């Protein structure tokens, strides 16, 4: 009790499985340690478990944390609890997104918003297929906010081009299932020009399907999140364009923003956009991985 | 003329006559879970300073309310030796239907439409099971897929917004110090327990689960009773859906994915055998409390979610094993 | 209302007209016409599989006839559900126990006919339910033995049967059908039931009664209908019959020379020796020997603990003390598998629940305990195994199809499968628990012959039975068990039914209930 | 001396004697599903030009292989009147363990470790069920949670890379024109069917499922048989995990989430009753084929995923209802 009591930050994630959330968590925990914060991590266990995330945000409010980093499974669903937390005087920071709830303004947000990812993917699609072509879409898990957002903005941006979506399917976020679905799309459209994956689970599945069908380089694969598998696939020539979100940097920035807010400094701008990095086989070697993934062997 | 209250207590009074010791022995099974749950509360109170606060218990209550409603309906189905895996996606479908109707026609029509939708899903389940003689497991698994697809199709895969703000506020309001969702679950509990104990339907449900053949040969319309049990389960799923939809103040086509397995676990924790026949809603409420308190306490203790999964699994086994040991000791094995 | 007994066809209350019933591969009933008169006790007799239960299922709305029709009060009637039969005043007590184990006795008695409370038609009045249950148990003279608040699962088989009878009585129906109600009752309980049936007849109730106990039938029935192979053979006035022999001849279609074969006369050394066997609160200090070639009987009242003794010997139940020796060698029996390895065989009292896997074929059931003998290099040689099973079935005069699920066979044939299963293990100690329960006279005679054959081949045989006549004709020695202890040992020269009964009741005099009984009541 | 082939056909020959008509009638149930599956194939062939191609069928085979292996093990458990909901997370755990061991010690140790891991999970399931007398549903539901948490904890929530490239290649290689995963599933099928029909263990499993008490009194070690059935299920889950891990050439802590319900559905489609007792692995293979072909065909037809969910649910009901109708006709109801 010699020093002043440590400040406590809450983190509410709908899901912690997979390279992106794990890397973000690393950034948060590492930065928090450096700044003397304690982090309470709450994981709803899946994007569909909206009610669990509600309960967990209520839990954080009860623990009287100073701030909550929120990645809403669905912003429209969180208004009630988030308002409760706001009323309890807790700072609310968007974690990886620019919103915490649809009707509650965040105190700050560190974002590479889902919509922006979709836009960035569209940029890549247009660059890879300047003359247009056929596109298969692995849209993500059914009914999930993040995947819907990405795809919505992606579609907005490719509208008017000659890129035509010939197949679109939602499926469980499962490595083997996405591989099967991608194989089927390739089966039906053997000359398909491109596959879109909502994140690396879908993208890597598509890349493996292309590999199995011997379509690497001819069927272009684009997706977001550069995990180790994604890097492997890109090295093998089966992944062509990955939008990397710098999750470690996002996590670190989130903690920094909270720290600033607690010291009374208003972050400028309120919504900090951590730049997305478009990764292609050309810059794969040179990009700084320290902001993309935790050091090897790190465990939550 | 005897009063209604008198009749309600006719069994208990006679049991008192038989001595306190026998009650304890007979009720050992029913006491085990409350004791275990109390143990949980004590442990968490010692480990966390915010656990034993009014606001946390209100939180637990709100979080548990939907699961409770669903588990009460699930009890009816399990008592007939059935099972309903479709409650989760029924909750999603009701949430979507309710949101659409409420947005167009207002609060009350929305709630009525939601309850009706739940009942219809339940009746369809019941009819398929009884008419085609398909096992409850497969039927409700298939219906899980059908209703989930329907909910997503209706909603186009995105949440439905624009519900009356009053509806969303209800989930966070109190009456007599109790959150409205908890009150709704409480009323469901009382009605369910009374139905089970004191109505002909309730007795027939237990008879069908205990020995279908005997029930049939006693002139009970076994199929009708089964269908009604599934309909009740559908309606309570709709009640759960209303609570959840109010909390998220939007129609969500993926709501309630964890409810089927959680509700069945709560029912089994509550001492109801999956082979049907006997059980009490009050015990199931303790099962719900156990699950909800465990999840809440582990979250408050900041245990990693992966480790939580392991602890929850082990606790489930431990709690049911304790129950079983009690039953066996009671039977002198 | 009450009819005169010399009535003609116009006095018919229930009649069948050319009823037929087909099951796949079996014609259970064909062209069956019979008449039941108002106010009579009409008995239905016939061998296992004669179609008695099938006829009853049709009359009670549980099965639909493939041909013909049923007439009630002379008018054709559609009995398509059990509810419909009940509404028309026909109540049935089925051969298989129809009890809801998780419910109380009172709830079981009012099942399907719950008294409505004043609060509403759909609310059950628990008080009235208890009152009805108490009244019915009172009427059955069982009010002190059965507590209406007790859980039905805690009752003995006999008491469960009584609860079923009480349920039927509570409906106060004009027609009651009973399918082998006394099969699992003790003589005392059976007598009580027969008294009640006589009283009901006096009150004008019509009764259709099925039983394999022919003396019982002769004592109770006004008229008897004999079925054979699903056909109506004859309906007789009981008063015109000279004895059971005539009835048996009609049932089996040939004169039955002897029910009990001569006893085996070559007795060898002590084969099985049990000493000091104890299971706390169930039985204590049980000691007995059986010699090769000897048939040892165990008599006693229902609930005396005989089944539990045998289960402990066989390793199916735990025991707290005692020693089992076979041919002088001490056995360590922890599970039935150990007992089987030592050459013991146990034919349980309940075929359906303990003897057979009813969904599997006759072959599989026959071979269940002896598959190891038919393995070649770890795999089962089915051809070889099935040959052995077929040979055994022929030896047992099994009449059924071995390739069909065991449940489709009649009771007697099912029992033969269970016995055959053990004979295939080449055991030399056989424990028969109620081997002839629910079995017709023809099959009984065959099973008695089998028991003597086994003894003649040098096996030691133990027979537990509640039918004393059976033990008196079959055994070389009878032990009487009461309240978990052996009360008496009677050698063949001193066989006397009164002595058995006296010993059987002795334990009951000492303490009102036996240990087994007491334990059950505690539950 | 008789040949092996002769022995295999002993039942059939007797049935042939009884006439062809009777076989058709008796086997109706076993023929129904193949006919329905064939119907599916015809419909999809007419609607899609790529469906009936060798490469698509190889695709279906590769995709179905893991489900098939898991369903075969699930059959053993269901035949004992049990159920294994933990196969999905067992697959995930095996995938992680296998990846770690394979990365450190090479291919064969990795596979051995994976199979052992699966067997251990199965044995733990079996021991909990038999020792504590907890229902299979609750035990394996709890173990689902425990093993999923363990897999995630071990892997730290992310996929494990660095497997020998040869392992990943195997999933896409052919032998005699058949993909290796299909061959592995095929060998599993043959061993499972032989075990069930021609070993004492197999017959004991059916006996335990049909009537536990009768089995015990016939000298069968009921508890041991049960534990072995769960161990077999664990091992086949491990085989499924090996196939899947090779396909995605990485250890995935979230693999196989849909397998528990899918494998149970396949088993029930294959005519095995959830009440245990009777069944054949070959029929279960048709159940797997039905599910896999349906999913493949619907995707090739580019039907929206939400509508697919509804169609899959309805087809499941239709297929089982047809089976049931057949059985009932056979029994003359
Ligand atoms: N559900 C069924 N499926 C096929 N065959 C059946 C079925 N029920 C009865 N049977 C057959 O119908 C015939 C008549 O059986 P039923 O049970 O009526 O005989 P029973 O006279 O009551 O014999 P028991 O004295 O053994 O009770 C028997 O051959 C039996 O195998
Ligand atoms: N704990 C129990 N719960 C329920 N039923 C029991 C219990 N113990 C025994 N029974 C049943 O009561 C009957 C009597 O069994 P027990 O072994 O005590 O006596 P028995 O002398 O063998 O009588 P029986 O002539 O009926 O075989 C059996 O049918 C048995 O299944
Ligand atoms: Mg009969
Ligand atoms: Mg007995």
């Amino acid at each position: 009790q010699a020093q002043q009591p440590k400040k406590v930050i809450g983190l509410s994630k709908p899901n912690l499985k997979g390279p992106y959330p794990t890397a973000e968590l690393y950034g948060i925990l590492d930065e928090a340690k450096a700044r003397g914060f304690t982090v309470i991590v709450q994981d709803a266990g899946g994007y569909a478990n909206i009610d669990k995330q509600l309960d967990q945000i209520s839990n954080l409010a009860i623990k009287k944390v100073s701030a909550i980093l929120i990645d809403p499974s669905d912003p429209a669903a969180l208004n009630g609890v988030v308002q409760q937390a706001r009323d309890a005087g807790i700072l609310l920071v968007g974690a990886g997104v620019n919103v915490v709830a649809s009707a509650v303004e965040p105190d700050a947000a560190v974002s590479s918003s889902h919509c922006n990812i979709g836009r960035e993917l569209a940029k890549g699609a247009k660059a890879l297929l300047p003359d247009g072509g056929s596109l298969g879409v692995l849209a993500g898990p059914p009914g999930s906010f993040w995947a819907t957002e990405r795809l919505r903005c992606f579609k907005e941006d490719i509208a008017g081009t000659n890129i035509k979506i010939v197949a679109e399917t939602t499926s469980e976020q499962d490595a083997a299932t996405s591989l099967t679905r991608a194989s089927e799309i390739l089966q039906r459209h053997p000359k398909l020009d491109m596959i879109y994956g909502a994140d690396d689970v879908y993208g890597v599945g598509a890349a493996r399907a292309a590999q199995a069908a011997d379509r690497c380089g001819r069927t272009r694969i684009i997706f977001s999140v550069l995990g180790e598998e994604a890097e492997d696939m890109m090295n093998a020539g089966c992944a062509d364009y990955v939008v990397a979100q710098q999750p470690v940097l996002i996590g670190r920035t989130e903690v920094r923003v909270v720290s600033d807010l607690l010291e009374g400094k208003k972050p400028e701008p309120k919504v900090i956009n951590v730049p997305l990095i478009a990764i292609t086989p050309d810059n794969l070697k040179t990009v700084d991985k320290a902001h993309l993934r935790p050091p090897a062997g790190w465990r939550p | 003329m005897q009063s209604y209250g008198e009749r309600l207590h006719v069994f208990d009074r006679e049991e008192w006559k038989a001595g306190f010791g026998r009650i304890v022995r007979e009720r050992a099974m029913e006491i085990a879970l409350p004791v275990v749950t109390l143990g949980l509360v004590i442990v968490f109170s010692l480990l966390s300073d915010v656990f034993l606060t009014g606001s946390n218990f209100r939180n637990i209550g709100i979080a548990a309310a939907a699961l409770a409603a669903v588990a009460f309906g699930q009890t009816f189905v399990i008592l007939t030796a059935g099972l309903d895996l479709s409650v989760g996606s029924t909750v999603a479908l009701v949430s979507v239907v309710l949101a659409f109707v409420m947005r167009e026609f207002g609060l009350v029509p929305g709630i009525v439409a939601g309850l009706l939708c739940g009942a219809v899903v339940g009746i369809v389940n019941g009819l398929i099971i009884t008419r085609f003689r398909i096992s409850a497991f497969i039927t409700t698994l298939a219906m899980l897929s059908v209703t989930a697809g329907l909910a997503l199709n209706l909603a186009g895969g995105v949440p439905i917004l624009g519900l009356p703000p009053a509806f969303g506020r209800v989930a966070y309001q109190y009456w007599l110090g109790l959150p409205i969702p908890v009150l709704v679950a409480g009323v469901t509990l009382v009605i369910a327990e009374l139905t089970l104990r004191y109505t002909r339907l309730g007795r027939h449900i237990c008879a069908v689960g205990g020995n279908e053949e005997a029930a049939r040969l006693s002139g009970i319309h076994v199929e009708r009773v089964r269908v009604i049990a599934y309909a009740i389960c559908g309606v309570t799923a709709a009640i759960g859906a209303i609570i959840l939809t109010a909390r998220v103040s939007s129609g969500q086509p993926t709501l309630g994915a964890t409810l089927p397995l959680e509700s069945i676990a709560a029912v089994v924790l509550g001492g109801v055998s999956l082979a049907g026949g006997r059980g009490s809603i009050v015990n199931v409420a303790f099962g719900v409390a156990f699950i909800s308190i465990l999840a809440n306490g582990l979250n408050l203790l900041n245990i990693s979610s992966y480790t939580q999964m392991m602890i929850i699994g082990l606790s489930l086994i431990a709690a049911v094993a304790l129950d079983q040991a009690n039953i066996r000791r009671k039977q002198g094995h | 209302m009450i009819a005169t007994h010399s009535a003609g066809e116009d006095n018919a209350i229930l009649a069948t007209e050319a009823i037929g019933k087909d099951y796949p591969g079996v014609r259970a009933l064909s062209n069956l016409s019979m008449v039941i008169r108002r106010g009579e006790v009409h008995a239905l007799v016939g061998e296992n599989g004669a179609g008695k239960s099938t006829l009853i299922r049709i009359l009670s709305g549980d099965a639909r006839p493939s041909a013909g029709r049923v007439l009630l009060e002379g008018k054709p009637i559609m009995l398509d559900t059990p509810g419909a039969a009940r509404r028309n005043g026909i109540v049935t007590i089925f051969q298989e126990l129809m009890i809801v184990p998780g419910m109380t006795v009172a709830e079981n008695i009012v099942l399907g006919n719950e008294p409505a409370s004043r609060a509403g038609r759909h609310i059950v009045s628990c008080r009235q339910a208890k009152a009805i249950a108490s009244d019915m148990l009172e009427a059955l003279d069982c009010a002190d033995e059965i507590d209406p608040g007790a859980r039905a699962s805690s009752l003995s088989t006999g008491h469960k049967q009584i609860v079923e009878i009480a349920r039927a009585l509570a409906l106060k129906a004009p027609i009651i059908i009973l399918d082998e109600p006394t099969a699992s009752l003790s003589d005392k309980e059976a007598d009580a039931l027969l008294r009640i049936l006589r009283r009901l007849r006096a009150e004008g109730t019509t009764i259709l009664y099925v039983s394999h106990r022919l003396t019982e039938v002769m004592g109770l029935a006004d008229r008897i209908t004999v079925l054979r192979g699903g056909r109506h053979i004859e309906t007789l006035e009981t008063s015109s019959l000279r004895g059971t022999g005539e009835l048996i001849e009609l049932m089996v279609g040939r004169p039955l020379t002897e029910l009990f074969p001569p006893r085996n006369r070559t007795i060898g050394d002590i084969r099985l020796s049990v000493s000091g066997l104890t299971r706390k609160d169930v039985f204590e200090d049980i000691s007995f020997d059986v010699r090769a070639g000897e048939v040892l009987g165990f008599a006693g009242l229902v609930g005396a603990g005989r089944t539990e003794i045998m289960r402990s010997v066989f390793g199916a139940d735990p025991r707290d003390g005692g020693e089992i020796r076979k041919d002088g060698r001490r056995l360590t029996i922890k599970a039935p598998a150990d007992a089987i390895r030592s050459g013991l065989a146990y034919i349980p009292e309940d075929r359906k629940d303990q003897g057979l896997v009813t969904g599997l074929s006759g072959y599989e059931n026959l071979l269940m305990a002896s598959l190891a003998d038919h393995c070649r290099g770890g795999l089962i040689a089915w051809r070889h195994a099935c040959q052995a099973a077929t040979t055994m079935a022929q030896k047992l005069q099994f009449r059924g199809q071995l390739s069909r699920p065991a449940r489709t066979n009649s009771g007697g044939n099912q029992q033969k499968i269970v016995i055959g299963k053990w004979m295939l293990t080449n055991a030399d100690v056989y424990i028969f628990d109620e081997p002839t329960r629910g079995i017709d006279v023809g099959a009984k005679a065959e099973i008695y012959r089998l028991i003597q054959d086994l003894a003649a081949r040098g096996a030691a045989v133990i027979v537990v039975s509640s039918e004393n006549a059976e033990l008196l004709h079959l055994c070389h020695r009878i032990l009487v068990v009461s309240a978990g202890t052996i009360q008496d040992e009677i050698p063949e020269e001193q066989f006397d039914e009164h002595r058995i009964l006296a010993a059987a009741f002795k334990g009951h005099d000492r303490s009102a209930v036996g240990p087994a009984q007491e334990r059950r009541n505690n539950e």
Side-chain angles (χ1 to χ4, degrees), chain A residues 24-241:
Chain A
E24 184 191 357
L25 181 62
Y26 166 73
I28 291 169
L29 293 180
D30 200 54
E31 189 69 21
K33 200 159 103 197
R35 293 177 181 260
F37 289 115
T38 308
V39 183
I40 300 178
V41 183
Q42 307 271 287
D43 164 17
Y47 292 100
N49 302 343
I50 302 169
D51 52 317
K52 294 245 169 357
Q53 191 175 25
L54 290 182
D55 302 338
Q56 295 181 345
I57 293 174
S58 298
N59 287 345
L60 291 171
I62 283 179
K63 289 213 83 164
K64 299 211 166 49
V65 294
S66 322
I68 306 180
L69 306 173
I70 299 176
D71 177 4
S73 52
D74 187 305
L78 295 191
N79 289 322
V81 273
V82 167
Q83 188 59 48
Q84 264 189 341
R86 161 74 41 87
D87 295 345
I90 297 171
L91 294 170
L92 304 167
V93 175
V97 286
N98 51 4
V99 289
V100 290
S102 58
V104 181
E105 189 65 12
D107 292 296
V110 181
S111 158
S112 51
S113 85
H114 295 307
C115 182
N116 285 346
I117 295 169
R119 299 227 142 88
E120 202 65 30
L121 283 167
K123 221 183 278 170
K126 285 187 274 195
L128 286 168
L129 298 179
D131 303 326
S134 55
L135 173 70
V137 173
L138 295 176
S144 66
F145 165 73
W146 63 272
T148 315
E149 273 294 289
R150 281 179 198 183
L151 188 57
R152 184 176 62 80
C153 294
F154 176 83
K155 280 180 177 169
E156 267 175 29
D157 276 20
I158 59 162
T161 68
N162 267 335
I163 301 174
K164 292 282 167 280
I165 296 178
V166 295
E168 180 180 331
T169 174
T170 60
S171 58
E172 294 300 314
Q173 200 169 19
D174 176 285
T177 309
S178 55
L179 168 50
T180 305
R181 295 288 91 89
S183 302
E184 281 158 359
I185 291 177
L186 281 173
Q187 183 69 40
R188 185 153 45 95
H189 305 283
K191 301 235 175 330
L192 193 69
D193 295 310
M194 181 179 281
I195 297 181
Y196 160 108
D199 73 358
D200 58 337
V201 172
Y202 299 91
V204 171
R208 289 211 172 91
Q211 196 172 36
D214 204 18
R215 291 285 301 170
C216 286
R218 285 178 289 171
T219 299
R220 310 304 189 92
I221 310 293
I222 64 170
F223 56 94
S224 67
V225 185
L226 188 80
E228 283 181 87
E229 284 182 294
E231 193 176 337
D232 277 4
M233 293 322 291
M234 192 170 273
N235 281 327
C238 299
D240 301 274
Y241 181 90

Side-chain angles (χ1 to χ4, degrees), chain B residues 104 123 180 244:
Chain B
E104 298 303 317
I123 290 172
I180 304 285
L244 286 179

Side-chain angles (χ1 to χ4, degrees), chain B residues 291-313:
Chain B
I291 291 176
S292 308
I293 290 175
L294 188 63
N296 174 275
L298 291 175
N299 274 321
L300 288 185
L301 293 182
N302 199 17
I303 290 170
S304 111
S305 54
Y306 304 156
T307 311
Q308 279 192 32
M309 292 166 85
M310 298 170 63
I311 297 180
I312 288 175

Side-chain angles (χ1 to χ4, degrees), chain B residues 14 200 203 211 216 218, chain C residues 62 99 107 114 122 130:
Chain B
E14 281 182 26
R200 187 165 290 190
R203 301 327 300 157
N211 186 343
R216 201 168 62 81
S218 301
Chain C
D62 185 30
I99 288 282
E107 286 171 327
E114 293 84 358
H122 291 286
K130 280 206 165 182

Side-chain angles (χ1 to χ4, degrees), chain C residues 197-419:
Chain C
L197 293 181
R198 289 196 183 95
R199 202 183 68 214
L200 286 174
R201 169 174 58 190
E203 289 166 7
T205 309
T206 310
I207 295 168
L208 180 62
Y209 188 83
V210 177
S211 177
H212 287 299
R213 299 189 178 178
L214 297 182
T215 34
E216 186 179 286
V217 166
M218 302 269 291
L220 178 71
D222 301 305
R223 295 199 304 157
I224 301 174
T225 291
V226 180
L227 298 186
R228 188 166 73 228
R231 291 171 190 281
H232 179 256
I233 299 299
E234 228 183 306
T235 298
L236 312 146
E237 297 283 339
T238 311
S239 49
S240 73
L241 274 168
R242 270 161 290 130
T244 52
E246 198 181 334
L247 210 48
I248 291 170
E249 216 175 302
L250 283 171
M251 280 168 60
V252 297
R254 65 193 142 85
L256 197 72
T257 44
E258 49 172 11
L259 186 56
F260 294 102
R263 287 184 182 83
N264 167 48
R265 283 303 163 202
T266 44
I267 309 289
D269 292 335
I270 291 179
R271 171 129 293 158
L272 184 77
S273 163
V274 172
S275 57
L277 197 70
T278 299
R279 185 172 170 206
K280 218 165 143 284
D281 295 337
V282 182
F283 54 78
E284 53 185 84
D285 198 21
I286 301 292
S287 304
F288 60 88
D289 298 331
V290 210
R291 292 173 174 275
E294 186 186 28
V295 180
L296 174 66
F298 274 79
L301 302 178
V302 169
R306 295 162 298 170
T307 296
E308 312 217 348
I309 294 169
M310 296 312 155
R311 285 176 61 91
S312 282
V313 169
F314 195 62
D317 280 347
R319 57 173 194 268
D320 298 320
E323 199 177 76
I324 302 167
R325 286 174 177 278
K326 185 167 163 254
D327 299 325
R329 218 163 35 82
R330 197 185 156 158
L331 303 181
T332 38
I333 297 178
K334 292 208 181 74
D338 302 326
I340 294 168
R341 218 173 298 120
S342 312
L344 269 63
Y346 173 66
I347 291 94
E349 60 184 339
D350 186 332
R351 283 188 290 282
K352 197 173 68 136
D353 287 346
Q354 299 164 358
L356 291 170
V357 182
T358 51
L360 292 180
S361 68
Y363 283 118
E364 298 234 30
N365 275 290
L366 272 169
L367 293 164
M368 192 159 289
S370 56
L371 270 181
D373 303 341
H374 303 286
C375 284
R376 301 277 183 279
L379 296 183
I380 301 166
W382 275 114
R383 190 184 168 79
H384 185 264
C386 289
Q387 263 165 11
T390 309
T391 313
M392 178 56 69
Q394 276 161 2
K395 199 158 114 192
L396 297 174
Q397 301 183 1
F398 172 84
R399 284 176 289 266
Q401 280 171 339
L402 285 180
S403 60
R404 293 184 61 94
R407 94 177 91 79
T408 57
N409 292 298
S410 71
N413 283 324
Q414 288 183 11
Q415 185 72 331
K416 284 176 190 167
I417 293 179
V418 182
I419 295 174

Side-chain angles (χ1 to χ4, degrees), chain C residues 48-49 51-54 57 95 179-180 210 212:
Chain C
N48 290 124
K52 306 180 293 292
S53 298
T54 305
R57 275 202 287 275
Q95 189 168 8
D179 194 355
E180 298 194 41
V210 177
H212 287 299

Side-chain angles (χ1 to χ4, degrees), chain B residues 5 25 28 32 37 65 73 80 93 97 122 132 140 142 159 162 196 221 238 243 251 265 285 294:
Chain B
R25 243 180 297 122
T37 312
T80 67
L93 181 62
V97 168
F132 300 141
T140 59
L196 212 52
H221 296 280
I243 295 174
L294 188 63

